[in-house]
Amino acid sequence: GDSVTQMEGPVTLSEEACLTINCTYTATGYPSLFWYVQYPGEGLQLLLKATKADDKGSNKGFEATYRKETTSFHLEKGSVQVSDSAVYFCALGSFGNEKLTFGTGTRLTIIP
Amino acid sequence: GAVVSQHPSWVICKSGTSVKIECRSLDFQATTMFWYRQFPKQSLMLMATSNEGSKATYEQGVEKDKFLINHASLTLSTLTVTSAHPEDSSFYICSGIAGGSTDTQYFGPGTRLTVL
């Protein structure tokens, strides 16, 4: 079945550092790929998505590229801020994207 | 963006009792709602999918008689954990999809259930 493997956390970085959170997937067919973010006390929010191979999703300075050859969708940001502290979930969507399969989540803490 | 609320945000109950969790879409009509369960340091596991006015579709291994889901309106879905036991303690999260959109789920903040 479908699965998502995500870099384990927690990850602690200094402000303005570069961020990479690894995500790889296993799926049949051609899934869509997502990154969700959960800020403290809030629900998961869609951060970015990509629907086909080589697509790059981007939002709020974050980006991720759908790599079919390596079955990866790594999340990157060139300069993180304290406000980026949250839990990040990689997910894939199948069956019309209604059913999502999530990774375990990575807690990111940015220190000033 | 669209907002989904859950109530209560946390609940503690005795073993053998039933607990109801509400999920409301506050500013959109959710034709489809999902219920997830999350264990500590694990991913969200889809429990069931419900469409307004019809019976929920449960994932393999989820007991439908234990986890009763009702999606009576386009803005409200409820999950009732019947005869709860300590192993049902978990974080329950709902999400909804707005009618006409199939690729964006809006998530609630979750409900932490502790069964003593």
Side-chain angles (χ1 to χ4, degrees), chain A residues 6-86:
Chain A
Q6 187 174 343
M7 175 177 167
E8 283 193 27
V11 174
T12 302
L13 295 173
S14 297
E15 203 166 19
E16 299 183 4
C18 293
L19 169 71
T20 298
I21 301 178
N22 291 333
C23 172
T24 57
Y25 67 92
T26 302
T28 54
Y30 303 94
S32 293
L33 300 174
F34 305 85
W35 277 100
Y36 281 84
V37 58
Q38 184 175 31
Y39 299 104
E42 299 183 18
L44 276 74
Q45 302 173 25
L46 179 64
L47 179 60
L48 53 84
K49 67 178 182 181
T51 58
K52 61 183 187 296
D54 299 326
D55 266 5
K56 178 185 285 188
S58 62
N59 186 25
K60 299 182 180 180
F62 291 90
E63 58 182 35
T65 302
Y66 189 142
R67 301 283 189 200
K68 193 169 185 295
E69 64 275 15
T70 55
T71 61
S72 65
F73 193 55
H74 305 321
L75 183 67
E76 298 176 327
K77 187 172 185 180
S79 177
V80 293
Q81 306 300 313
V82 172
S83 57
D84 295 327
S85 299

Coordinates of all heavy atoms in Angstrom, one line a residue, chain A residues 6-86:
Chain A
Q6 N 9.3 9.9 6.5 CA 9.7 11.3 6.7 C 10.8 11.4 7.8 O 10.9 10.6 8.7 CB 8.4 12.1 7.3 CG 8.6 13.5 7.4 CD 7.3 14.2 7.8 OE1 6.2 13.6 7.7 NE2 7.4 15.4 8.3
M7 N 11.6 12.3 7.6 CA 12.8 12.5 8.5 C 12.3 12.7 9.9 O 11.3 13.5 10.2 CB 13.5 13.8 8.0 CG 14.6 14.3 8.9 SD 15.3 15.8 8.0 CE 16.3 16.4 9.3
E8 N 12.9 12.0 10.8 CA 12.5 12.1 12.2 C 13.0 13.3 12.8 O 14.1 13.8 12.5 CB 13.0 10.8 13.0 CG 12.2 9.6 12.7 CD 12.5 8.5 13.7 OE1 12.9 8.8 14.8 OE2 12.3 7.3 13.3
G9 N 12.3 13.9 13.7 CA 12.8 15.0 14.4 C 13.1 14.6 15.9 O 13.3 13.5 16.2
P10 N 13.1 15.6 16.7 CA 12.9 17.0 16.4 C 14.2 17.7 15.7 O 15.3 17.1 15.9 CB 12.6 17.7 17.8 CG 13.4 16.8 18.7 CD 13.3 15.4 18.2
V11 N 13.9 18.7 15.0 CA 15.0 19.5 14.4 C 15.0 20.9 15.0 O 14.0 21.5 15.1 CB 14.7 19.6 12.8 CG1 15.7 20.5 12.2 CG2 14.7 18.2 12.2
T12 N 16.2 21.2 15.4 CA 16.4 22.6 16.0 C 17.4 23.3 15.2 O 18.5 22.8 15.0 CB 16.8 22.5 17.5 OG1 15.9 21.7 18.2 CG2 17.0 23.9 18.1
L13 N 17.1 24.5 14.7 CA 18.0 25.3 13.9 C 18.0 26.7 14.5 O 17.1 27.2 15.1 CB 17.5 25.3 12.5 CG 17.5 24.0 11.7 CD1 16.9 24.2 10.3 CD2 18.9 23.5 11.5
S14 N 19.1 27.4 14.1 CA 19.1 28.8 14.4 C 18.5 29.6 13.3 O 18.4 29.2 12.2 CB 20.6 29.3 14.6 OG 21.2 28.6 15.6
E15 N 18.0 30.8 13.7 CA 17.3 31.7 12.7 C 18.3 31.9 11.6 O 19.5 32.1 11.8 CB 16.9 33.0 13.4 CG 15.8 33.7 12.7 CD 15.2 34.8 13.6 OE1 15.9 35.3 14.6 OE2 14.1 35.2 13.4
E16 N 17.7 32.0 10.4 CA 18.4 32.2 9.1 C 19.2 31.0 8.6 O 19.9 31.1 7.6 CB 19.3 33.5 9.2 CG 18.6 34.7 9.5 CD 19.5 36.0 9.5 OE1 20.7 35.8 9.2 OE2 19.0 37.1 9.8
A17 N 19.1 29.9 9.3 CA 19.8 28.7 8.8 C 19.0 28.1 7.6 O 17.8 28.4 7.4 CB 19.9 27.7 9.9
C18 N 19.6 27.2 6.9 CA 19.0 26.5 5.8 C 18.3 25.3 6.3 O 18.8 24.6 7.2 CB 20.0 26.1 4.7 SG 20.7 27.4 3.9
L19 N 17.1 25.0 5.8 CA 16.3 23.8 6.2 C 16.1 22.8 5.1 O 15.8 23.2 4.0 CB 14.9 24.3 6.7 CG 13.9 23.2 7.0 CD1 14.3 22.4 8.2 CD2 12.5 23.8 7.1
T20 N 16.2 21.6 5.4 CA 15.8 20.5 4.5 C 15.1 19.4 5.4 O 15.7 19.0 6.4 CB 16.9 19.8 3.8 OG1 17.5 20.8 2.9 CG2 16.4 18.7 2.9
I21 N 13.9 19.1 5.1 CA 13.2 17.9 5.8 C 13.0 16.9 4.7 O 12.2 17.2 3.7 CB 11.9 18.4 6.4 CG1 12.2 19.4 7.5 CG2 11.2 17.1 7.1 CD1 10.9 19.9 8.2
N22 N 13.5 15.7 4.8 CA 13.4 14.7 3.8 C 12.1 14.0 3.9 O 11.6 13.7 4.9 CB 14.6 13.7 4.0 CG 15.9 14.3 3.6 OD1 16.0 15.2 2.8 ND2 17.0 13.7 4.2
C23 N 11.6 13.6 2.7 CA 10.4 12.9 2.6 C 10.5 12.0 1.3 O 10.8 12.5 0.3 CB 9.2 13.8 2.4 SG 7.6 12.9 2.1
T24 N 10.3 10.7 1.5 CA 10.2 9.8 0.4 C 8.8 9.0 0.5 O 8.2 8.9 1.6 CB 11.3 8.8 0.4 OG1 11.3 8.0 1.6 CG2 12.7 9.5 0.2
Y25 N 8.4 8.5 -0.6 CA 7.1 7.8 -0.6 C 7.1 6.5 -1.5 O 8.0 6.3 -2.3 CB 6.1 8.8 -1.2 CG 6.3 9.1 -2.7 CD1 5.7 8.3 -3.7 CD2 7.1 10.1 -3.1 CE1 5.9 8.6 -5.0 CE2 7.3 10.4 -4.4 CZ 6.7 9.6 -5.4 OH 6.9 9.9 -6.7
T26 N 6.1 5.7 -1.2 CA 5.8 4.5 -2.0 C 4.4 4.6 -2.3 O 3.5 4.8 -1.5 CB 6.1 3.3 -1.2 OG1 7.5 3.3 -0.7 CG2 5.9 2.0 -2.0
A27 N 4.1 4.5 -3.6 CA 2.7 4.6 -4.1 C 2.5 3.9 -5.4 O 3.5 3.8 -6.2 CB 2.3 6.0 -4.2
T28 N 1.3 3.4 -5.6 CA 1.0 2.9 -6.9 C 0.4 4.1 -7.7 O -0.2 5.0 -7.1 CB 0.0 1.7 -6.8 OG1 -1.2 2.2 -6.1 CG2 0.6 0.5 -6.2
G29 N 0.5 4.1 -9.0 CA 0.0 5.1 -9.8 C 0.7 6.4 -9.7 O 1.9 6.4 -9.4
Y30 N 0.0 7.5 -9.8 CA 0.7 8.8 -9.8 C 0.0 9.7 -8.8 O -0.9 10.5 -9.1 CB 0.5 9.4 -11.2 CG 1.1 8.5 -12.3 CD1 0.3 7.6 -13.0 CD2 2.5 8.5 -12.6 CE1 0.9 6.8 -14.0 CE2 3.0 7.7 -13.5 CZ 2.2 6.8 -14.2 OH 2.8 6.0 -15.2
P31 N 0.5 9.6 -7.6 CA -0.1 10.4 -6.5 C 0.2 11.9 -6.6 O 1.2 12.3 -7.2 CB 0.5 9.8 -5.2 CG 1.9 9.4 -5.7 CD 1.7 8.9 -7.1
S32 N -0.5 12.7 -5.9 CA -0.2 14.1 -5.6 C 0.6 14.1 -4.3 O 0.3 13.2 -3.4 CB -1.4 15.0 -5.5 OG -2.0 15.1 -6.8
L33 N 1.4 15.1 -4.1 CA 2.3 15.1 -2.9 C 2.0 16.5 -2.2 O 1.9 17.5 -2.9 CB 3.8 15.0 -3.2 CG 4.1 13.7 -3.9 CD1 5.6 13.6 -4.4 CD2 3.8 12.5 -3.0
F34 N 2.0 16.4 -0.9 CA 1.7 17.6 -0.1 C 2.7 17.8 1.1 O 3.2 16.8 1.6 CB 0.3 17.5 0.5 CG -0.8 17.2 -0.5 CD1 -1.1 15.9 -0.9 CD2 -1.6 18.2 -1.0 CE1 -2.1 15.6 -1.8 CE2 -2.6 18.0 -1.9 CZ -2.9 16.7 -2.3
W35 N 2.8 19.0 1.5 CA 3.4 19.3 2.8 C 2.3 20.1 3.6 O 1.8 21.1 3.1 CB 4.7 20.1 2.7 CG 5.9 19.3 2.5 CD1 6.5 19.1 1.3 CD2 6.6 18.5 3.5 NE1 7.6 18.2 1.5 CE2 7.7 17.9 2.8 CE3 6.5 18.4 4.8 CZ2 8.6 17.1 3.5 CZ3 7.4 17.6 5.5 CH2 8.4 16.9 4.8
Y36 N 2.0 19.6 4.8 CA 1.1 20.3 5.7 C 2.0 20.8 6.9 O 3.0 20.2 7.3 CB 0.1 19.4 6.2 CG -1.1 19.1 5.3 CD1 -1.0 18.2 4.3 CD2 -2.3 19.9 5.4 CE1 -2.1 18.0 3.4 CE2 -3.3 19.7 4.5 CZ -3.2 18.8 3.5 OH -4.2 18.6 2.6
V37 N 1.5 21.9 7.5 CA 2.2 22.4 8.7 C 1.1 22.6 9.8 O 0.0 23.0 9.5 CB 2.9 23.8 8.3 CG1 1.9 24.8 7.8 CG2 3.6 24.3 9.6
Q38 N 1.6 22.3 11.0 CA 0.7 22.5 12.2 C 1.4 23.3 13.2 O 2.4 23.0 13.8 CB 0.4 21.1 12.8 CG -0.6 21.2 13.9 CD -1.0 19.8 14.4 OE1 -0.2 18.9 14.4 NE2 -2.2 19.7 14.9
Y39 N 0.9 24.6 13.3 CA 1.4 25.5 14.3 C 0.8 25.1 15.7 O -0.3 24.5 15.7 CB 1.1 26.9 13.9 CG 1.7 27.4 12.6 CD1 0.9 27.5 11.5 CD2 3.1 27.6 12.5 CE1 1.5 27.8 10.3 CE2 3.6 28.0 11.4 CZ 2.9 28.1 10.2 OH 3.4 28.4 9.0
P40 N 1.4 25.5 16.7 CA 0.9 25.1 18.1 C -0.6 25.5 18.3 O -0.9 26.7 18.1 CB 1.8 25.9 19.0 CG 3.1 26.1 18.2 CD 2.7 26.2 16.8
G41 N -1.4 24.6 18.7 CA -2.8 24.8 19.0 C -3.7 25.0 17.8 O -4.9 25.3 18.0
E42 N -3.2 24.7 16.6 CA -4.0 24.9 15.4 C -4.1 23.6 14.7 O -3.3 22.6 14.9 CB -3.4 26.0 14.5 CG -3.3 27.4 15.2 CD -2.8 28.4 14.2 OE1 -2.8 28.2 13.0 OE2 -2.4 29.5 14.7
G43 N -5.0 23.5 13.7 CA -5.1 22.4 12.8 C -4.1 22.4 11.7 O -3.4 23.4 11.5
L44 N -3.9 21.2 11.1 CA -3.0 21.2 9.9 C -3.4 22.1 8.8 O -4.6 22.2 8.5 CB -2.9 19.7 9.4 CG -2.0 18.7 10.1 CD1 -2.6 18.3 11.4 CD2 -1.8 17.5 9.1
Q45 N -2.5 22.8 8.2 CA -2.7 23.7 7.1 C -1.9 23.2 5.9 O -0.7 22.9 6.1 CB -2.3 25.1 7.5 CG -3.0 25.7 8.7 CD -2.5 27.1 9.0 OE1 -1.9 27.8 8.2 NE2 -2.6 27.5 10.3
L46 N -2.5 23.3 4.7 CA -1.7 23.0 3.5 C -0.6 24.0 3.3 O -0.9 25.2 3.3 CB -2.7 22.9 2.3 CG -2.0 22.6 1.0 CD1 -1.4 21.2 1.0 CD2 -3.0 22.7 -0.2
L47 N 0.6 23.6 3.2 CA 1.7 24.5 3.0 C 2.0 24.6 1.5 O 2.1 25.7 0.9 CB 3.0 24.0 3.7 CG 4.2 24.9 3.6 CD1 4.0 26.3 4.1 CD2 5.4 24.2 4.3
L48 N 2.1 23.5 0.8 CA 2.4 23.4 -0.6 C 2.1 22.1 -1.1 O 1.9 21.1 -0.4 CB 3.8 23.9 -0.9 CG 5.0 23.1 -0.3 CD1 5.3 21.8 -1.0 CD2 6.2 24.0 -0.2
K49 N 2.0 22.0 -2.5 CA 1.6 20.7 -3.1 C 2.2 20.6 -4.5 O 2.6 21.7 -5.1 CB 0.1 20.5 -3.1 CG -0.6 21.5 -4.1 CD -2.1 21.2 -4.1 CE -2.7 22.1 -5.1 NZ -4.2 21.9 -5.2
A50 N 2.3 19.4 -5.0 CA 2.7 19.2 -6.4 C 1.9 18.0 -6.9 O 1.7 17.0 -6.2 CB 4.2 18.9 -6.5
T51 N 1.4 18.1 -8.1 CA 0.5 17.1 -8.6 C 1.1 16.2 -9.6 O 0.5 15.1 -10.0 CB -0.7 17.7 -9.2 OG1 -0.3 18.6 -10.2 CG2 -1.5 18.5 -8.1
K52 N 2.3 16.5 -10.2 CA 2.9 15.6 -11.1 C 4.4 15.7 -11.1 O 5.0 16.7 -10.5 CB 2.4 15.8 -12.5 CG 2.7 17.2 -13.1 CD 2.1 17.4 -14.5 CE 2.5 18.7 -15.1 NZ 1.9 19.8 -14.4
A53 N 5.1 14.8 -11.7 CA 6.6 14.7 -11.6 C 7.2 16.0 -12.1 O 6.7 16.6 -13.1 CB 7.1 13.5 -12.5
D54 N 8.2 16.4 -11.4 CA 9.0 17.6 -11.7 C 8.3 18.9 -11.4 O 8.9 20.0 -11.5 CB 9.5 17.7 -13.2 CG 10.3 16.5 -13.6 OD1 11.1 16.0 -12.7 OD2 10.2 16.0 -14.7
D55 N 7.1 18.8 -10.9 CA 6.4 20.0 -10.4 C 7.1 20.5 -9.1 O 7.6 19.7 -8.3 CB 4.9 19.7 -10.0 CG 4.0 20.0 -11.1 OD1 4.4 20.4 -12.2 OD2 2.8 19.8 -10.9
K56 N 7.2 21.8 -9.0 CA 7.7 22.4 -7.7 C 6.6 23.2 -7.0 O 6.0 24.1 -7.6 CB 8.9 23.4 -8.0 CG 9.4 24.0 -6.8 CD 10.5 25.1 -7.1 CE 11.8 24.4 -7.5 NZ 12.9 25.4 -7.6
G57 N 6.3 22.8 -5.8 CA 5.4 23.6 -5.0 C 6.2 24.6 -4.2 O 7.3 24.3 -3.7
S58 N 5.6 25.8 -3.9 CA 6.2 26.8 -3.1 C 5.2 27.6 -2.4 O 4.1 27.9 -2.9 CB 7.2 27.6 -4.0 OG 6.4 28.3 -5.0
N59 N 5.6 28.1 -1.2 CA 4.8 28.9 -0.4 C 5.5 29.4 0.8 O 6.3 28.6 1.4 CB 3.5 28.2 0.1 CG 2.5 29.1 0.8 OD1 2.5 30.3 0.6 ND2 1.7 28.5 1.6
K60 N 5.4 30.7 1.1 CA 6.1 31.3 2.3 C 7.6 31.0 2.4 O 8.1 30.9 3.4 CB 5.4 30.7 3.6 CG 3.9 31.0 3.7 CD 3.4 30.5 5.0 CE 1.9 30.8 5.2 NZ 1.3 30.3 6.4
G61 N 8.2 30.9 1.2 CA 9.7 30.7 1.2 C 10.0 29.3 1.2 O 11.2 28.9 1.0
F62 N 9.1 28.4 1.4 CA 9.3 26.9 1.4 C 9.1 26.4 -0.1 O 8.3 27.0 -0.8 CB 8.4 26.2 2.3 CG 8.6 26.4 3.8 CD1 7.9 27.4 4.4 CD2 9.4 25.6 4.5 CE1 8.1 27.7 5.8 CE2 9.6 25.8 5.8 CZ 9.0 26.8 6.5
E63 N 9.8 25.4 -0.4 CA 9.6 24.8 -1.7 C 9.9 23.3 -1.6 O 10.7 22.8 -0.8 CB 10.4 25.4 -2.8 CG 11.9 25.5 -2.6 CD 12.6 26.2 -3.8 OE1 12.0 27.2 -4.3 OE2 13.7 25.8 -4.2
A64 N 9.3 22.5 -2.5 CA 9.6 21.1 -2.6 C 9.3 20.7 -4.1 O 8.4 21.2 -4.7 CB 8.7 20.3 -1.7
T65 N 10.2 19.8 -4.6 CA 10.1 19.3 -6.0 C 9.7 17.9 -6.0 O 10.3 17.0 -5.3 CB 11.4 19.6 -6.7 OG1 11.7 21.0 -6.7 CG2 11.2 19.1 -8.2
Y66 N 8.7 17.5 -6.8 CA 8.2 16.1 -7.0 C 9.2 15.4 -7.8 O 9.3 15.6 -9.0 CB 6.9 16.2 -7.7 CG 6.0 15.0 -7.8 CD1 4.7 15.0 -7.6 CD2 6.6 13.7 -8.0 CE1 3.8 13.9 -7.8 CE2 5.8 12.6 -8.2 CZ 4.4 12.7 -8.1 OH 3.6 11.6 -8.2
R67 N 10.0 14.5 -7.2 CA 11.0 13.7 -7.9 C 10.6 12.3 -8.1 O 10.6 11.5 -7.1 CB 12.3 13.8 -7.2 CG 12.9 15.2 -6.9 CD 13.5 15.7 -8.1 NE 14.2 17.0 -7.8 CZ 14.6 17.9 -8.7 NH1 14.2 17.7 -10.0 NH2 15.2 19.0 -8.4
K68 N 10.1 12.0 -9.2 CA 9.6 10.6 -9.5 C 10.7 9.6 -9.4 O 10.6 8.5 -9.0 CB 8.8 10.5 -10.8 CG 8.0 9.3 -11.0 CD 7.1 9.4 -12.2 CE 6.1 8.2 -12.3 NZ 6.9 7.0 -12.6
E69 N 11.9 10.0 -10.0 CA 13.0 9.0 -10.1 C 13.5 8.6 -8.7 O 14.0 7.5 -8.6 CB 14.1 9.6 -11.0 CG 14.8 10.8 -10.4 CD 14.1 12.1 -10.8 OE1 12.9 12.1 -11.2 OE2 14.7 13.2 -10.6
T70 N 13.4 9.5 -7.8 CA 13.9 9.2 -6.4 C 12.8 9.0 -5.4 O 13.0 8.8 -4.3 CB 14.9 10.2 -5.9 OG1 14.2 11.5 -6.0 CG2 16.2 10.3 -6.7
T71 N 11.5 9.1 -5.9 CA 10.3 9.0 -5.1 C 10.4 9.9 -3.9 O 10.3 9.5 -2.7 CB 9.9 7.6 -4.7 OG1 11.0 7.0 -4.0 CG2 9.6 6.8 -6.0
S72 N 10.8 11.2 -4.1 CA 11.0 12.1 -3.0 C 10.3 13.4 -3.2 O 9.9 13.8 -4.3 CB 12.5 12.3 -2.8 OG 13.0 13.0 -3.9
F73 N 10.1 14.1 -2.0 CA 9.5 15.4 -2.0 C 10.0 16.2 -0.8 O 9.3 16.5 0.1 CB 7.9 15.2 -1.9 CG 7.1 16.4 -2.3 CD1 7.3 17.1 -3.4 CD2 6.2 16.9 -1.4 CE1 6.5 18.2 -3.7 CE2 5.4 18.0 -1.6 CZ 5.6 18.7 -2.8
H74 N 11.3 16.5 -0.9 CA 12.0 17.1 0.3 C 11.5 18.6 0.4 O 11.5 19.3 -0.6 CB 13.5 17.0 0.1 CG 14.0 15.6 -0.1 ND1 13.5 14.5 0.6 CD2 15.0 15.2 -0.9 CE1 14.1 13.4 0.2 NE2 15.1 13.8 -0.7
L75 N 11.3 19.0 1.6 CA 10.9 20.4 1.9 C 12.2 21.2 2.2 O 13.0 20.8 3.0 CB 10.0 20.4 3.1 CG 9.5 21.8 3.5 CD1 8.5 22.3 2.4 CD2 8.8 21.7 4.9
E76 N 12.3 22.4 1.6 CA 13.5 23.2 1.8 C 13.1 24.6 2.0 O 12.1 25.1 1.5 CB 14.4 23.1 0.5 CG 14.9 21.7 0.2 CD 15.7 21.6 -1.1 OE1 15.4 22.3 -2.0 OE2 16.7 20.8 -1.1
K77 N 13.9 25.3 2.7 CA 13.8 26.8 2.9 C 15.2 27.3 3.1 O 16.0 26.8 3.9 CB 12.9 27.1 4.1 CG 12.6 28.6 4.1 CD 11.6 29.0 5.2 CE 11.2 30.5 5.1 NZ 10.2 30.9 6.1
G78 N 15.5 28.4 2.5 CA 16.9 28.9 2.5 C 17.2 29.7 3.8 O 18.4 29.7 4.2
S79 N 16.2 30.3 4.4 CA 16.5 31.0 5.6 C 15.3 31.0 6.5 O 14.3 31.7 6.3 CB 16.8 32.5 5.3 OG 17.0 33.3 6.4
V80 N 15.4 30.2 7.6 CA 14.2 30.0 8.4 C 14.1 31.1 9.5 O 15.0 31.8 9.8 CB 14.3 28.6 9.2 CG1 14.1 27.5 8.2 CG2 15.5 28.5 10.0
Q81 N 12.8 31.3 9.9 CA 12.5 32.3 10.9 C 11.9 31.6 12.2 O 11.4 30.5 12.1 CB 11.5 33.3 10.4 CG 11.9 33.9 9.1 CD 13.2 34.7 9.2 OE1 13.4 35.5 10.2 NE2 14.2 34.5 8.3
V82 N 11.9 32.3 13.3 CA 11.3 31.8 14.5 C 9.9 31.4 14.3 O 9.4 30.3 14.8 CB 11.4 32.8 15.7 CG1 10.7 32.3 16.9 CG2 12.9 33.0 16.0
S83 N 9.2 32.1 13.5 CA 7.8 31.9 13.2 C 7.5 30.6 12.4 O 6.4 30.1 12.2 CB 7.1 33.0 12.4 OG 7.8 33.3 11.2
D84 N 8.6 30.0 11.9 CA 8.5 28.7 11.2 C 8.4 27.5 12.1 O 8.2 26.4 11.7 CB 9.6 28.5 10.2 CG 9.6 29.5 9.1 OD1 8.5 29.9 8.6 OD2 10.7 29.9 8.6
S85 N 8.6 27.7 13.4 CA 8.5 26.7 14.4 C 7.2 26.0 14.3 O 6.1 26.7 14.6 CB 8.8 27.2 15.8 OG 10.1 27.7 15.8
A86 N 7.1 24.7 14.1 CA 5.8 24.0 13.9 C 6.2 22.5 13.6 O 7.3 22.1 13.6 CB 5.1 24.6 12.7

